[in-house]
Amino acid sequence: MNGYGNIGRRLATMFSADKEIQFIGVAKYTADKKTRDALDSKFDVYVPKSNLKQFTDSNYEVSGTLEEAIKQSDIIVDAAKEGCGFDNKKRLYEPMKKAAIFQGGEDRSGSRSVANMIHNSRVNYEKASGKMYVIQGSCNVSGMGRIMQPLAEKFGDEIERYDVTIVRRWADLEDSKEMRDSVEWDRNPHHQKDVKDFMPTANLFVEAYRVPSRMMHVHQMLIRFKTKAPSKDTVIEVLSKQFGVAILNSAKGSADVRRKALMLGFQHGDTNMVHIHQEVLRDQDDVLKILYTDDQTGMVIPENHLLLQSMVFRRPKVEAIKKTDTLFQISRRKRILEQEFE
Ligand SMILES: NC(=O)c1ccc[n+]([C@@H]2O[C@H](COP(=O)([O-])OP(=O)(O)OC[C@H]3O[C@@H](n4cnc5c(N)ncnc54)[C@H](OP(=O)(O)O)[C@@H]3O)[C@@H](O)[C@H]2O)c1
């Protein structure tokens, strides 16, 4: 696991629990207290050769260099801070002929592109089979695919366009960075292009705003149909059958869902899902309005686990979902959340 930040530490917890995988360890770059957290979690910690002194001076027990860890690995899950994945690929993975999964903060196109596909397990799991380099879509992009694909399959050409407004959290629970009292807009939300990478025919428009909250993302999705929008019951029936989509009825805001996950003792306080807020799902003339919350830190963790099964084990999707569900207990936790927010 190259990187041990908000996403890397969650990925490390899950991948190290999978008995089928020999988990080599995590890479740290800064000798800070998160190194102690990694060691306390019984992970072997590897550091870049050039940073070794920093760690030994701080008395952290390091297992070796990053370069040595990569040499031992068949695949690297890169959880680097945004934009570092490209340099890691060029400096380490490509010369050492190692496969890698990159996270959603990396570029899919342009001169710093790290891979030629973005994975969304609901849409293109099979396409990742045996590939060397794949990007796991970001939390928002993962959530959008999970909602849009089943609707596209059910209603096909009847759908005219999707308009999505993403309300993004400012920081994650663990972040110490200050939140500015401001609602900020995004000049060029990457989510639109990213989703169209795996759903190229979707007529999709995305706007994104950042708000001073730590409690999940909220998506307002408006879907315009050629004629009348389907009924609420029909839509709920389709979405309720989806893996990692919970149908809730009584949450008042994103914090209710996050606090519930913490209270129920879910690992890292994550639900690892999207949550449809049924009480505000509306159909009006030709428009369907869906409001859902997207667990910013948790969404991509089972997605990475599925992606690895496609890339490394070339496992059929049904079996991979079964395995990921056993490890993450997604279906069980979905039922619990649905009961809690009945
Ligand atoms: N946070 C979310 O909710 C979220 C959701 C979905 C996707 N993502 C994506 O996941 C990726 C990681 O995000 P994050 O929130 O986990 O970031 P983060 O908390 O800022 O952590 C970034 C980590 O990268 C490490 N690092 C620094 N230089 C590196 C390098 N050259 N190679 C590898 N790692 C390096 C840092 O190590 P040190 O601490 O040792 O300096 C740190 O542990 C990004 O692409 C992001 O867009 C994030």
Side-chain angles (χ1 to χ4, degrees), residues 2-8 27-32 34-35 55 66 78-85 87-88 91 93 103-106 136-140 169 172 175 217 295-298 300:
N2 193 7
Y4 191 70
N6 294 344
I7 295 303
K28 274 289 290 164
Y29 288 71
T30 314
D32 57 15
K34 285 190 187 147
T35 313
F55 284 83
L66 168 64
D78 187 287
K81 69 176 177 212
E82 272 178 35
C84 293
D87 300 321
N88 290 341
R91 196 175 66 81
Y93 316 149
Q103 303 308 310
E106 303 302 327
Q136 172 53 51
S138 73
C139 41
N140 289 306
R169 59 84 182 91
D172 296 328
D175 286 335
H217 300 294
D295 173 6
Q296 84 272 17
T297 40
V300 297

mmCIF file of all heavy atoms in Angstrom, residues 2-8 27-32 34-35 55 66 78-85 87-88 91 93 103-106 136-140 169 172 175 217 295-298 300, ligand 1:
data_model
loop_
_atom_site.group_PDB
_atom_site.id
_atom_site.type_symbol
_atom_site.label_atom_id
_atom_site.label_comp_id
_atom_site.label_asym_id
_atom_site.label_seq_id
_atom_site.Cartn_x
_atom_site.Cartn_y
_atom_site.Cartn_z
ATOM 1 N N ASN A 2 0.963 1.894 -1.151
ATOM 2 C CA ASN A 2 1.868 3.049 -1.239
ATOM 3 C C ASN A 2 1.102 4.313 -0.861
ATOM 4 O O ASN A 2 0.410 4.918 -1.676
ATOM 5 C CB ASN A 2 2.460 3.149 -2.650
ATOM 6 C CG ASN A 2 3.628 4.116 -2.697
ATOM 7 O OD1 ASN A 2 4.087 4.626 -1.661
ATOM 8 N ND2 ASN A 2 4.126 4.368 -3.894
ATOM 9 N N GLY A 3 1.236 4.726 0.393
ATOM 10 C CA GLY A 3 0.489 5.869 0.930
ATOM 11 C C GLY A 3 -0.373 5.374 2.078
ATOM 12 O O GLY A 3 -1.020 4.319 1.968
ATOM 13 N N TYR A 4 -0.358 6.115 3.172
ATOM 14 C CA TYR A 4 -1.110 5.689 4.359
ATOM 15 C C TYR A 4 -1.874 6.887 4.916
ATOM 16 O O TYR A 4 -1.727 7.269 6.063
ATOM 17 C CB TYR A 4 -0.137 5.095 5.391
ATOM 18 C CG TYR A 4 -0.799 4.378 6.543
ATOM 19 C CD1 TYR A 4 -1.451 3.159 6.352
ATOM 20 C CD2 TYR A 4 -0.764 4.915 7.823
ATOM 21 C CE1 TYR A 4 -2.049 2.505 7.411
ATOM 22 C CE2 TYR A 4 -1.358 4.255 8.890
ATOM 23 C CZ TYR A 4 -1.998 3.052 8.679
ATOM 24 O OH TYR A 4 -2.594 2.391 9.729
ATOM 25 N N GLY A 5 -2.653 7.509 4.031
ATOM 26 C CA GLY A 5 -3.495 8.627 4.458
ATOM 27 C C GLY A 5 -4.905 8.135 4.734
ATOM 28 O O GLY A 5 -5.102 6.975 5.123
ATOM 29 N N ASN A 6 -5.888 8.974 4.505
ATOM 30 C CA ASN A 6 -7.279 8.611 4.826
ATOM 31 C C ASN A 6 -7.730 7.378 4.049
ATOM 32 O O ASN A 6 -8.440 6.522 4.586
ATOM 33 C CB ASN A 6 -8.213 9.786 4.521
ATOM 34 C CG ASN A 6 -7.921 10.963 5.439
ATOM 35 O OD1 ASN A 6 -7.250 10.812 6.458
ATOM 36 N ND2 ASN A 6 -8.401 12.131 5.074
ATOM 37 N N ILE A 7 -7.334 7.283 2.802
ATOM 38 C CA ILE A 7 -7.735 6.130 1.993
ATOM 39 C C ILE A 7 -6.774 4.953 2.228
ATOM 40 O O ILE A 7 -7.210 3.827 2.442
ATOM 41 C CB ILE A 7 -7.784 6.525 0.492
ATOM 42 C CG1 ILE A 7 -8.890 7.559 0.259
ATOM 43 C CG2 ILE A 7 -7.967 5.316 -0.408
ATOM 44 C CD1 ILE A 7 -10.296 7.140 0.681
ATOM 45 N N GLY A 8 -5.481 5.210 2.255
ATOM 46 C CA GLY A 8 -4.491 4.141 2.412
ATOM 47 C C GLY A 8 -4.685 3.335 3.688
ATOM 48 O O GLY A 8 -4.599 2.096 3.668
ATOM 49 N N ALA A 27 3.544 2.050 2.874
ATOM 50 C CA ALA A 27 4.648 3.004 2.700
ATOM 51 C C ALA A 27 4.275 4.329 3.343
ATOM 52 O O ALA A 27 3.192 4.863 3.108
ATOM 53 C CB ALA A 27 4.924 3.209 1.214
ATOM 54 N N LYS A 28 5.176 4.841 4.175
ATOM 55 C CA LYS A 28 5.009 6.168 4.788
ATOM 56 C C LYS A 28 6.114 7.067 4.249
ATOM 57 O O LYS A 28 7.209 6.632 3.922
ATOM 58 C CB LYS A 28 5.148 6.053 6.311
ATOM 59 C CG LYS A 28 3.874 5.702 7.043
ATOM 60 C CD LYS A 28 2.859 6.846 7.072
ATOM 61 C CE LYS A 28 3.280 8.016 7.965
ATOM 62 N NZ LYS A 28 2.491 9.235 7.676
ATOM 63 N N TYR A 29 5.797 8.333 4.172
ATOM 64 C CA TYR A 29 6.752 9.323 3.654
ATOM 65 C C TYR A 29 7.220 10.283 4.740
ATOM 66 O O TYR A 29 8.342 10.785 4.683
ATOM 67 C CB TYR A 29 6.123 10.098 2.486
ATOM 68 C CG TYR A 29 6.014 9.242 1.247
ATOM 69 C CD1 TYR A 29 5.081 8.197 1.182
ATOM 70 C CD2 TYR A 29 6.874 9.418 0.176
ATOM 71 C CE1 TYR A 29 5.006 7.364 0.077
ATOM 72 C CE2 TYR A 29 6.798 8.591 -0.941
ATOM 73 C CZ TYR A 29 5.862 7.566 -0.977
ATOM 74 O OH TYR A 29 5.814 6.748 -2.064
ATOM 75 N N THR A 30 6.316 10.557 5.705
ATOM 76 C CA THR A 30 6.638 11.502 6.768
ATOM 77 C C THR A 30 6.668 10.754 8.105
ATOM 78 O O THR A 30 5.749 9.962 8.386
ATOM 79 C CB THR A 30 5.542 12.605 6.839
ATOM 80 O OG1 THR A 30 5.274 13.043 5.506
ATOM 81 C CG2 THR A 30 5.975 13.782 7.690
ATOM 82 N N ALA A 31 7.696 11.013 8.892
ATOM 83 C CA ALA A 31 7.817 10.327 10.184
ATOM 84 C C ALA A 31 6.928 11.031 11.219
ATOM 85 O O ALA A 31 7.414 11.727 12.105
ATOM 86 C CB ALA A 31 9.288 10.334 10.625
ATOM 87 N N ASP A 32 5.622 10.856 11.061
ATOM 88 C CA ASP A 32 4.681 11.498 11.997
ATOM 89 C C ASP A 32 3.932 10.428 12.794
ATOM 90 O O ASP A 32 4.219 9.236 12.669
ATOM 91 C CB ASP A 32 3.708 12.420 11.236
ATOM 92 C CG ASP A 32 2.941 11.661 10.150
ATOM 93 O OD1 ASP A 32 2.947 10.410 10.172
ATOM 94 O OD2 ASP A 32 2.334 12.319 9.284
ATOM 95 N N LYS A 34 1.184 9.058 12.500
ATOM 96 C CA LYS A 34 0.473 8.006 11.746
ATOM 97 C C LYS A 34 1.384 6.798 11.505
ATOM 98 O O LYS A 34 0.910 5.690 11.231
ATOM 99 C CB LYS A 34 -0.051 8.559 10.420
ATOM 100 C CG LYS A 34 -1.278 9.444 10.641
ATOM 101 C CD LYS A 34 -1.946 9.793 9.346
ATOM 102 C CE LYS A 34 -3.059 10.804 9.557
ATOM 103 N NZ LYS A 34 -3.211 11.711 8.411
ATOM 104 N N THR A 35 2.690 7.010 11.624
ATOM 105 C CA THR A 35 3.621 5.876 11.508
ATOM 106 C C THR A 35 3.405 4.956 12.712
ATOM 107 O O THR A 35 3.367 3.729 12.581
ATOM 108 C CB THR A 35 5.083 6.377 11.482
ATOM 109 O OG1 THR A 35 5.185 7.451 10.565
ATOM 110 C CG2 THR A 35 6.044 5.279 11.099
ATOM 111 N N PHE A 55 13.098 8.601 9.758
ATOM 112 C CA PHE A 55 12.346 7.611 10.537
ATOM 113 C C PHE A 55 13.216 6.977 11.630
ATOM 114 O O PHE A 55 12.757 6.777 12.746
ATOM 115 C CB PHE A 55 11.778 6.526 9.601
ATOM 116 C CG PHE A 55 10.584 6.998 8.813
ATOM 117 C CD1 PHE A 55 10.741 7.721 7.636
ATOM 118 C CD2 PHE A 55 9.293 6.742 9.254
ATOM 119 C CE1 PHE A 55 9.649 8.172 6.910
ATOM 120 C CE2 PHE A 55 8.177 7.191 8.540
ATOM 121 C CZ PHE A 55 8.361 7.914 7.358
ATOM 122 N N LEU A 66 10.960 1.479 0.512
ATOM 123 C CA LEU A 66 9.813 1.373 -0.387
ATOM 124 C C LEU A 66 10.185 0.533 -1.605
ATOM 125 O O LEU A 66 9.410 -0.322 -2.060
ATOM 126 C CB LEU A 66 9.393 2.790 -0.808
ATOM 127 C CG LEU A 66 8.405 2.922 -1.944
ATOM 128 C CD1 LEU A 66 7.062 2.324 -1.573
ATOM 129 C CD2 LEU A 66 8.222 4.393 -2.315
ATOM 130 N N ASP A 78 -1.777 2.087 -5.055
ATOM 131 C CA ASP A 78 -1.214 3.427 -4.851
ATOM 132 C C ASP A 78 -2.290 4.295 -4.224
ATOM 133 O O ASP A 78 -3.337 4.528 -4.830
ATOM 134 C CB ASP A 78 -0.764 3.989 -6.218
ATOM 135 C CG ASP A 78 -0.016 5.293 -6.096
ATOM 136 O OD1 ASP A 78 -0.674 6.309 -5.803
ATOM 137 O OD2 ASP A 78 1.219 5.314 -6.272
ATOM 138 N N ALA A 79 -2.047 4.762 -2.996
ATOM 139 C CA ALA A 79 -3.015 5.634 -2.310
ATOM 140 C C ALA A 79 -2.318 6.941 -1.973
ATOM 141 O O ALA A 79 -2.462 7.510 -0.888
ATOM 142 C CB ALA A 79 -3.545 4.949 -1.062
ATOM 143 N N ALA A 80 -1.538 7.396 -2.930
ATOM 144 C CA ALA A 80 -0.722 8.600 -2.740
ATOM 145 C C ALA A 80 -1.571 9.852 -2.721
ATOM 146 O O ALA A 80 -2.687 9.864 -3.250
ATOM 147 C CB ALA A 80 0.268 8.705 -3.896
ATOM 148 N N LYS A 81 -1.021 10.905 -2.148
ATOM 149 C CA LYS A 81 -1.748 12.168 -2.228
ATOM 150 C C LYS A 81 -1.846 12.569 -3.697
ATOM 151 O O LYS A 81 -0.955 12.237 -4.507
ATOM 152 C CB LYS A 81 -1.117 13.240 -1.353
ATOM 153 C CG LYS A 81 0.199 13.751 -1.778
ATOM 154 C CD LYS A 81 0.601 14.876 -0.812
ATOM 155 C CE LYS A 81 1.979 15.353 -1.183
ATOM 156 N NZ LYS A 81 2.793 15.816 -0.115
ATOM 157 N N GLU A 82 -2.968 13.225 -4.000
ATOM 158 C CA GLU A 82 -3.357 13.495 -5.388
ATOM 159 C C GLU A 82 -2.205 13.929 -6.278
ATOM 160 O O GLU A 82 -1.473 14.858 -5.933
ATOM 161 C CB GLU A 82 -4.430 14.580 -5.405
ATOM 162 C CG GLU A 82 -5.806 13.996 -5.287
ATOM 163 C CD GLU A 82 -6.892 15.053 -5.250
ATOM 164 O OE1 GLU A 82 -6.762 16.099 -5.919
ATOM 165 O OE2 GLU A 82 -7.863 14.812 -4.536
ATOM 166 N N GLY A 83 -2.060 13.276 -7.401
ATOM 167 C CA GLY A 83 -1.079 13.691 -8.399
ATOM 168 C C GLY A 83 0.266 13.004 -8.284
ATOM 169 O O GLY A 83 1.059 13.041 -9.229
ATOM 170 N N CYS A 84 0.546 12.337 -7.146
ATOM 171 C CA CYS A 84 1.870 11.692 -6.991
ATOM 172 C C CYS A 84 1.925 10.340 -7.693
ATOM 173 O O CYS A 84 3.007 9.784 -7.903
ATOM 174 C CB CYS A 84 2.198 11.469 -5.518
ATOM 175 S SG CYS A 84 2.444 12.986 -4.601
ATOM 176 N N GLY A 85 0.772 9.784 -8.027
ATOM 177 C CA GLY A 85 0.720 8.457 -8.632
ATOM 178 C C GLY A 85 1.507 8.367 -9.932
ATOM 179 O O GLY A 85 2.153 7.359 -10.202
ATOM 180 N N ASP A 87 4.198 10.040 -10.910
ATOM 181 C CA ASP A 87 5.650 9.950 -10.671
ATOM 182 C C ASP A 87 6.019 8.577 -10.115
ATOM 183 O O ASP A 87 7.056 8.020 -10.474
ATOM 184 C CB ASP A 87 6.098 11.063 -9.714
ATOM 185 C CG ASP A 87 5.794 12.441 -10.309
ATOM 186 O OD1 ASP A 87 5.966 12.593 -11.529
ATOM 187 O OD2 ASP A 87 5.361 13.339 -9.561
ATOM 188 N N ASN A 88 5.154 8.032 -9.250
ATOM 189 C CA ASN A 88 5.415 6.688 -8.713
ATOM 190 C C ASN A 88 5.442 5.654 -9.838
ATOM 191 O O ASN A 88 6.269 4.754 -9.853
ATOM 192 C CB ASN A 88 4.332 6.291 -7.703
ATOM 193 C CG ASN A 88 4.422 7.096 -6.427
ATOM 194 O OD1 ASN A 88 5.459 7.697 -6.133
ATOM 195 N ND2 ASN A 88 3.341 7.142 -5.658
ATOM 196 N N ARG A 91 8.692 6.228 -11.937
ATOM 197 C CA ARG A 91 9.957 5.998 -11.222
ATOM 198 C C ARG A 91 10.074 4.562 -10.694
ATOM 199 O O ARG A 91 11.168 4.010 -10.629
ATOM 200 C CB ARG A 91 10.037 6.985 -10.051
ATOM 201 C CG ARG A 91 11.423 7.155 -9.442
ATOM 202 C CD ARG A 91 11.426 8.237 -8.385
ATOM 203 N NE ARG A 91 10.631 7.911 -7.213
ATOM 204 C CZ ARG A 91 11.038 7.152 -6.219
ATOM 205 N NH1 ARG A 91 12.236 6.620 -6.245
ATOM 206 N NH2 ARG A 91 10.249 6.909 -5.186
ATOM 207 N N TYR A 93 6.947 1.721 -10.617
ATOM 208 C CA TYR A 93 6.154 0.574 -11.071
ATOM 209 C C TYR A 93 6.544 0.135 -12.485
ATOM 210 O O TYR A 93 6.714 -1.053 -12.730
ATOM 211 C CB TYR A 93 4.643 0.857 -11.002
ATOM 212 C CG TYR A 93 4.168 1.536 -9.736
ATOM 213 C CD1 TYR A 93 3.064 2.395 -9.741
ATOM 214 C CD2 TYR A 93 4.806 1.320 -8.517
ATOM 215 C CE1 TYR A 93 2.621 3.015 -8.592
ATOM 216 C CE2 TYR A 93 4.372 1.947 -7.356
ATOM 217 C CZ TYR A 93 3.286 2.803 -7.403
ATOM 218 O OH TYR A 93 2.847 3.436 -6.265
ATOM 219 N N GLN A 103 -5.704 5.808 -7.464
ATOM 220 C CA GLN A 103 -6.955 6.357 -6.909
ATOM 221 C C GLN A 103 -7.485 7.491 -7.791
ATOM 222 O O GLN A 103 -6.798 7.977 -8.695
ATOM 223 C CB GLN A 103 -6.739 6.812 -5.466
ATOM 224 C CG GLN A 103 -6.216 5.722 -4.555
ATOM 225 C CD GLN A 103 -7.049 4.430 -4.600
ATOM 226 O OE1 GLN A 103 -8.272 4.467 -4.472
ATOM 227 N NE2 GLN A 103 -6.377 3.303 -4.803
ATOM 228 N N GLY A 104 -8.692 7.931 -7.451
ATOM 229 C CA GLY A 104 -9.431 8.868 -8.303
ATOM 230 C C GLY A 104 -8.840 10.254 -8.439
ATOM 231 O O GLY A 104 -9.261 11.013 -9.316
ATOM 232 N N GLY A 105 -7.857 10.599 -7.618
ATOM 233 C CA GLY A 105 -7.223 11.914 -7.736
ATOM 234 C C GLY A 105 -6.202 11.981 -8.855
ATOM 235 O O GLY A 105 -5.647 13.039 -9.152
ATOM 236 N N GLU A 106 -5.941 10.828 -9.511
ATOM 237 C CA GLU A 106 -4.943 10.803 -10.595
ATOM 238 C C GLU A 106 -5.602 11.085 -11.943
ATOM 239 O O GLU A 106 -6.813 10.923 -12.090
ATOM 240 C CB GLU A 106 -4.256 9.428 -10.638
ATOM 241 C CG GLU A 106 -3.577 9.022 -9.343
ATOM 242 C CD GLU A 106 -2.520 10.002 -8.858
ATOM 243 O OE1 GLU A 106 -1.857 10.633 -9.699
ATOM 244 O OE2 GLU A 106 -2.360 10.133 -7.631
ATOM 245 N N GLN A 136 -9.077 3.509 -9.912
ATOM 246 C CA GLN A 136 -10.362 3.335 -9.251
ATOM 247 C C GLN A 136 -11.013 4.716 -9.169
ATOM 248 O O GLN A 136 -10.436 5.642 -8.606
ATOM 249 C CB GLN A 136 -10.185 2.752 -7.843
ATOM 250 C CG GLN A 136 -11.469 2.736 -7.025
ATOM 251 C CD GLN A 136 -12.624 2.048 -7.755
ATOM 252 O OE1 GLN A 136 -12.475 0.919 -8.236
ATOM 253 N NE2 GLN A 136 -13.763 2.734 -7.878
ATOM 254 N N GLY A 137 -12.205 4.859 -9.745
ATOM 255 C CA GLY A 137 -12.905 6.147 -9.728
ATOM 256 C C GLY A 137 -13.045 6.689 -8.305
ATOM 257 O O GLY A 137 -13.077 5.923 -7.343
ATOM 258 N N SER A 138 -13.138 7.994 -8.180
ATOM 259 C CA SER A 138 -13.247 8.616 -6.850
ATOM 260 C C SER A 138 -14.597 8.248 -6.220
ATOM 261 O O SER A 138 -15.450 7.631 -6.858
ATOM 262 C CB SER A 138 -13.144 10.133 -6.995
ATOM 263 O OG SER A 138 -14.339 10.631 -7.554
ATOM 264 N N CYS A 139 -14.767 8.653 -4.979
ATOM 265 C CA CYS A 139 -15.994 8.298 -4.248
ATOM 266 C C CYS A 139 -17.250 8.790 -4.970
ATOM 267 O O CYS A 139 -18.217 8.048 -5.140
ATOM 268 C CB CYS A 139 -15.938 8.866 -2.839
ATOM 269 S SG CYS A 139 -15.274 10.532 -2.770
ATOM 270 N N ASN A 140 -17.235 10.028 -5.442
ATOM 271 C CA ASN A 140 -18.412 10.578 -6.122
ATOM 272 C C ASN A 140 -18.666 9.850 -7.435
ATOM 273 O O ASN A 140 -19.807 9.537 -7.781
ATOM 274 C CB ASN A 140 -18.200 12.072 -6.403
ATOM 275 C CG ASN A 140 -18.244 12.875 -5.123
ATOM 276 O OD1 ASN A 140 -19.204 12.780 -4.360
ATOM 277 N ND2 ASN A 140 -17.212 13.654 -4.866
ATOM 278 N N ARG A 169 -18.079 17.393 0.880
ATOM 279 C CA ARG A 169 -17.568 17.735 2.219
ATOM 280 C C ARG A 169 -16.211 18.435 2.060
ATOM 281 O O ARG A 169 -15.477 18.178 1.105
ATOM 282 C CB ARG A 169 -17.450 16.482 3.095
ATOM 283 C CG ARG A 169 -16.540 15.384 2.544
ATOM 284 C CD ARG A 169 -15.089 15.566 2.839
ATOM 285 N NE ARG A 169 -14.235 14.557 2.274
ATOM 286 C CZ ARG A 169 -13.656 14.623 1.080
ATOM 287 N NH1 ARG A 169 -13.893 15.634 0.258
ATOM 288 N NH2 ARG A 169 -12.821 13.665 0.696
ATOM 289 N N ASP A 172 -12.180 15.274 5.624
ATOM 290 C CA ASP A 172 -12.576 13.999 6.210
ATOM 291 C C ASP A 172 -12.514 14.108 7.729
ATOM 292 O O ASP A 172 -11.904 15.026 8.276
ATOM 293 C CB ASP A 172 -11.645 12.883 5.713
ATOM 294 C CG ASP A 172 -11.761 12.686 4.206
ATOM 295 O OD1 ASP A 172 -12.875 12.903 3.672
ATOM 296 O OD2 ASP A 172 -10.757 12.334 3.553
ATOM 297 N N ASP A 175 -9.078 14.641 9.237
ATOM 298 C CA ASP A 175 -8.244 15.760 8.783
ATOM 299 C C ASP A 175 -8.176 16.861 9.840
ATOM 300 O O ASP A 175 -9.175 17.182 10.487
ATOM 301 C CB ASP A 175 -8.827 16.374 7.496
ATOM 302 C CG ASP A 175 -8.581 15.479 6.288
ATOM 303 O OD1 ASP A 175 -7.618 14.694 6.328
ATOM 304 O OD2 ASP A 175 -9.366 15.564 5.332
ATOM 305 N N HIS A 217 -20.713 13.237 1.197
ATOM 306 C CA HIS A 217 -21.145 14.052 0.056
ATOM 307 C C HIS A 217 -22.642 13.856 -0.131
ATOM 308 O O HIS A 217 -23.175 12.791 0.175
ATOM 309 C CB HIS A 217 -20.463 13.574 -1.232
ATOM 310 C CG HIS A 217 -18.974 13.640 -1.216
ATOM 311 N ND1 HIS A 217 -18.287 14.834 -1.154
ATOM 312 C CD2 HIS A 217 -18.042 12.672 -1.271
ATOM 313 C CE1 HIS A 217 -16.994 14.583 -1.182
ATOM 314 N NE2 HIS A 217 -16.813 13.284 -1.239
ATOM 315 N N ASP A 295 -20.672 7.969 0.939
ATOM 316 C CA ASP A 295 -19.657 7.887 2.000
ATOM 317 C C ASP A 295 -18.278 8.173 1.402
ATOM 318 O O ASP A 295 -17.665 7.299 0.790
ATOM 319 C CB ASP A 295 -19.718 6.485 2.618
ATOM 320 C CG ASP A 295 -18.597 6.245 3.610
ATOM 321 O OD1 ASP A 295 -17.837 7.180 3.909
ATOM 322 O OD2 ASP A 295 -18.489 5.096 4.089
ATOM 323 N N GLN A 296 -17.815 9.408 1.599
ATOM 324 C CA GLN A 296 -16.612 9.838 0.858
ATOM 325 C C GLN A 296 -15.385 8.966 1.116
ATOM 326 O O GLN A 296 -14.645 8.648 0.193
ATOM 327 C CB GLN A 296 -16.297 11.321 1.138
ATOM 328 C CG GLN A 296 -15.491 11.661 2.381
ATOM 329 C CD GLN A 296 -16.357 11.854 3.609
ATOM 330 O OE1 GLN A 296 -17.503 11.447 3.623
ATOM 331 N NE2 GLN A 296 -15.818 12.476 4.645
ATOM 332 N N THR A 297 -15.184 8.566 2.364
ATOM 333 C CA THR A 297 -13.972 7.792 2.640
ATOM 334 C C THR A 297 -14.177 6.287 2.403
ATOM 335 O O THR A 297 -13.216 5.584 2.085
ATOM 336 C CB THR A 297 -13.499 8.003 4.093
ATOM 337 O OG1 THR A 297 -14.657 8.027 4.941
ATOM 338 C CG2 THR A 297 -12.735 9.297 4.244
ATOM 339 N N GLY A 298 -15.431 5.821 2.577
ATOM 340 C CA GLY A 298 -15.653 4.375 2.545
ATOM 341 C C GLY A 298 -15.969 3.788 1.184
ATOM 342 O O GLY A 298 -15.673 2.621 0.919
ATOM 343 N N VAL A 300 -14.820 3.843 -1.833
ATOM 344 C CA VAL A 300 -13.829 3.285 -2.761
ATOM 345 C C VAL A 300 -13.087 2.072 -2.184
ATOM 346 O O VAL A 300 -12.334 1.419 -2.906
ATOM 347 C CB VAL A 300 -12.797 4.356 -3.207
ATOM 348 C CG1 VAL A 300 -13.499 5.456 -3.980
ATOM 349 C CG2 VAL A 300 -12.023 4.935 -2.035
HETATM 350 N N1 LIG B 1 -10.244 11.278 1.182
HETATM 351 C C1 LIG B 1 -11.237 10.827 0.460
HETATM 352 O O1 LIG B 1 -12.382 10.894 0.886
HETATM 353 C C2 LIG B 1 -10.999 10.200 -0.898
HETATM 354 C C3 LIG B 1 -12.041 9.489 -1.482
HETATM 355 C C4 LIG B 1 -11.840 8.834 -2.691
HETATM 356 C C5 LIG B 1 -10.636 8.927 -3.332
HETATM 357 N N2 LIG B 1 -9.626 9.647 -2.772
HETATM 358 C C6 LIG B 1 -8.345 9.709 -3.497
HETATM 359 O O2 LIG B 1 -7.418 8.866 -2.818
HETATM 360 C C7 LIG B 1 -6.088 9.399 -2.933
HETATM 361 C C8 LIG B 1 -5.512 9.601 -1.542
HETATM 362 O O3 LIG B 1 -6.336 10.511 -0.838
HETATM 363 P P1 LIG B 1 -6.270 10.659 0.750
HETATM 364 O O4 LIG B 1 -7.472 11.420 1.145
HETATM 365 O O5 LIG B 1 -6.003 9.325 1.387
HETATM 366 O O6 LIG B 1 -4.997 11.590 0.903
HETATM 367 P P2 LIG B 1 -4.197 11.969 2.241
HETATM 368 O O7 LIG B 1 -4.998 11.618 3.445
HETATM 369 O O8 LIG B 1 -3.705 13.336 2.050
HETATM 370 O O9 LIG B 1 -2.974 10.952 2.223
HETATM 371 C C9 LIG B 1 -2.015 10.969 1.215
HETATM 372 C C10 LIG B 1 -0.877 10.026 1.574
HETATM 373 O O10 LIG B 1 0.060 10.079 0.515
HETATM 374 C C11 LIG B 1 1.333 9.886 1.088
HETATM 375 N N3 LIG B 1 2.319 10.319 0.140
HETATM 376 C C12 LIG B 1 3.044 11.457 0.059
HETATM 377 N N4 LIG B 1 3.845 11.407 -1.028
HETATM 378 C C13 LIG B 1 3.611 10.223 -1.640
HETATM 379 C C14 LIG B 1 4.111 9.567 -2.778
HETATM 380 N N5 LIG B 1 5.030 10.128 -3.584
HETATM 381 N N6 LIG B 1 3.643 8.323 -3.077
HETATM 382 C C15 LIG B 1 2.739 7.722 -2.324
HETATM 383 N N7 LIG B 1 2.210 8.295 -1.215
HETATM 384 C C16 LIG B 1 2.648 9.529 -0.888
HETATM 385 C C17 LIG B 1 1.304 10.662 2.378
HETATM 386 O O11 LIG B 1 2.271 10.093 3.216
HETATM 387 P P3 LIG B 1 2.789 10.764 4.581
HETATM 388 O O12 LIG B 1 1.579 10.980 5.427
HETATM 389 O O13 LIG B 1 3.688 9.761 5.151
HETATM 390 O O14 LIG B 1 3.448 12.053 4.182
HETATM 391 C C18 LIG B 1 -0.129 10.381 2.848
HETATM 392 O O15 LIG B 1 -0.157 9.267 3.705
HETATM 393 C C19 LIG B 1 -6.238 10.675 -3.779
HETATM 394 O O16 LIG B 1 -6.054 10.345 -5.136
HETATM 395 C C20 LIG B 1 -7.701 11.071 -3.554
HETATM 396 O O17 LIG B 1 -8.228 11.850 -4.593
HETATM 397 C C21 LIG B 1 -9.772 10.268 -1.555
#
